[in-house]
């Protein structure tokens, strides 16, 4: 069982700073929540939005981890995929 208040606090902090996070930070945050099986749609939405504008700066591992995170949480509708099609 994961500490829900802790995860909520981490999510809130990540959402507030998501626009300033580096690609690796975005990837690591998405991966951490997905690994813990915590579906936090506002957080994943913020990660998706921030990732979409910096997708060209992701390395292969970061991109794979981020996409795995969305897929493993069954969140295919988030706008992280369209920038990859360009």
């Amino acid at each position: 069982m994961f500490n829900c208040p802790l995860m909520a606090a981490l999510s809130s902090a990540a959402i507030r700073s998501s626009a300033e996070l580096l690609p690796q930070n975005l990837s690591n945050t998405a991966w951490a929540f997905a690994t813990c099986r915590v579906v936090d749609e506002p957080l994943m939405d913020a990660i998706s939005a921030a990732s979409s504008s910096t997708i060209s700066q992701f390395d292969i591992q970061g991109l794979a981890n981020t996409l795995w995170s969305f897929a493993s949480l069954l969140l295919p509708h988030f706008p992280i995929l369209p920038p990859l099609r360009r």
Side-chain angles (χ1 to χ4, degrees):
M1 172 67 80
F2 293 97
N3 184 325
C4 291
L6 174 62
M7 296 306 276
L10 292 171
S11 172
S12 179
I15 290 170
R16 281 193 311 272
S17 63
S18 63
E20 293 88 39
L21 293 177
L22 297 172
Q24 184 175 355
N25 304 134
L26 294 166
S27 176
N28 290 349
T29 303
W31 179 87
F33 274 74
T35 300
C36 293
R37 306 300 305 152
V38 176
V39 179
D40 185 320
E41 289 197 21
L43 172 63
M44 298 306 277
D45 188 43
I47 290 172
S48 179
S51 297
S52 294
S53 64
T54 60
I55 203 75
S56 64
Q57 298 172 23
F58 277 70
D59 63 12
I60 295 297
Q61 186 68 54
L63 185 58
N65 288 348
T66 304
L67 293 175
W68 173 86
S69 300
F70 280 84
S72 70
L73 293 175
L74 303 175
L75 300 172
H77 62 282
F78 281 84
I80 195 166
L81 292 177
L84 294 174
R85 295 183 186 134
R86 293 183 200 148

